Amino acid sequence: MKNLVQVAGVIDAAEAAMLVEEKTDWLGFPLRLPSGKDDISEAAATEIISGLRPPHAGVLISYLTKADEVAAFCSELGVTAVQLHGDVETAELRALKAARPDLYVLKSLVVKEDNADELLKLVDEVADCVDMFITDTFNPATGAKGATGLTHDWSVSAELVRRSPKPLMMAGGLNPDNVAEAIRQVRPAAVDAHTGLEGADGRKDRAKVRRFVSESRRAFAELD
């Protein structure tokens, strides 16, 4: 997987159709969130995912931590990729890969103020049982590990890219204005945006999505 653009937090079929029209590769669906406040129902997400065709695909963004629960939920939704943001033990990652080798598994690396060494160690430990890593930003005020709208120290993400034998998706406060520079500095295989593409009404803004995709493609092409 290379030069992918993902937009997360799809709220309905109309928004999903717009993202496809604007040439987003992957659409992320955060579901069964710890807060209990999902952006979309599981039934609506399942219907959208079933209608996507390559290169577009739906990705489950999950805080579940048990392999059997993740595998079952992916089957219910019909996804072939899952983004794990919870504190999943290495044994559970291995169990998930053993049970569902067909699943493309992304493991989050949540960047805090002083945890770079911890994240590098995690990469070494689990790289053999995941397909991609995704960096994101921790919000110390709320404890949130994603969709914070906050950027982090990009040098940490860049170091993780250099360390990891698997590709890395970069997330955390990305938007149309900073994504190209983020790609140049970090050299990720993929980028993801969520709140940075929303308008005042909480929906993804088409103009922002279009610029985000365009800026991402341009920066990826420069690196190639």
Side-chain angles (χ1 to χ4, degrees), residues 130-145:
V130 304
D131 300 289
M132 180 181 276
F133 290 102
I134 174 168
T135 56
D136 215 328
T137 308
F138 180 71
N139 185 341
T142 65
K145 299 178 180 179

Side-chain angles (χ1 to χ4, degrees), residues 4 24 45 47 49 95 114 119 146 159-160 178 194 197:
L4 285 169
T24 299
E47 185 172 356
I49 290 163
D114 56 358
L119 296 179
E159 190 173 1
L160 290 166
N178 65 12
H194 184 166
L197 302 181

Side-chain angles (χ1 to χ4, degrees), residues 149 151 172-180 192-193 196-197 208 211-212 215:
T151 57
L174 297 184
N175 58 57
D177 296 323
N178 65 12
V179 68
D192 164 272
L197 302 181
K208 290 181 179 180
R211 280 192 60 225
F212 184 80
E215 289 293 301

Side-chain angles (χ1 to χ4, degrees), residues 64-75 92 95-96 99-100:
L64 298 175
T65 58
K66 298 300 181 183
D68 56 348
E69 294 179 359
V70 173
F73 195 19
C74 287
S75 295
E92 293 294 330
L96 179 60
R100 290 290 304 272

Side-chain angles (χ1 to χ4, degrees), residues 1 13 21 61 70 80 82 86 90 121 128 147 159 181 197 209:
M1 298 290 185
E21 289 167 7
I61 299 173
V70 173
T80 55
V82 59
T90 301
K121 182 181 178 183
D128 65 324
E159 190 173 1
E181 186 58 29
L197 302 181
V209 172

Side-chain angles (χ1 to χ4, degrees), residues 3-185:
N3 299 355
L4 285 169
V5 178
Q6 173 174 284
V7 174
V10 180
I11 64 172
D12 58 25
E15 185 167 280
M18 181 272 287
L19 295 176
V20 169
E21 289 167 7
E22 296 302 332
K23 299 180 172 57
T24 299
D25 297 306
W26 288 358
L27 282 62
F29 296 84
L31 292 167
R32 298 186 186 174
L33 299 176
S35 66
K37 298 177 181 178
D38 294 353
D39 293 321
I40 189 172
S41 71
E42 293 176 18
T46 300
E47 185 172 356
I48 293 168
I49 290 163
S50 69
L52 296 174
R53 297 292 177 267
H56 311 291
V59 179
L60 167 62
I61 299 173
S62 175
Y63 287 80
L64 298 175
T65 58
K66 298 300 181 183
D68 56 348
E69 294 179 359
V70 173
F73 195 19
C74 287
S75 295
E76 289 175 29
L77 292 172
V79 296
T80 55
V82 59
Q83 192 171 303
L84 299 173
H85 275 266
D87 296 322
V88 185
E89 294 181 1
T90 301
E92 293 294 330
L93 286 171
R94 297 195 192 290
L96 179 60
K97 260 304 175 189
R100 290 290 304 272
D102 58 308
L103 271 181
Y104 194 86
V105 177
L106 298 91
K107 178 67 187 79
S108 69
L109 301 170
V110 182
V111 181
K112 301 179 182 179
E113 230 178 71
D114 56 358
N115 70 334
D117 289 343
E118 177 186 328
L119 296 179
L120 290 166
K121 182 181 178 183
L122 181 60
V123 165
D124 293 341
E125 287 179 357
V126 306
D128 65 324
C129 53
V130 304
D131 300 289
M132 180 181 276
F133 290 102
I134 174 168
T135 56
D136 215 328
T137 308
F138 180 71
N139 185 341
T142 65
K145 299 178 180 179
T148 64
L150 303 174
T151 57
H152 56 263
D153 183 350
W154 289 351
S155 69
V156 175
S157 281
E159 190 173 1
L160 290 166
V161 167
R162 291 191 292 270
R163 182 71 155 258
S164 175
K166 298 295 176 65
L168 182 141
M169 178 184 287
M170 184 180 179
L174 297 184
N175 58 57
D177 296 323
N178 65 12
V179 68
E181 186 58 29
I183 290 171
R184 293 187 196 102
Q185 290 190 30

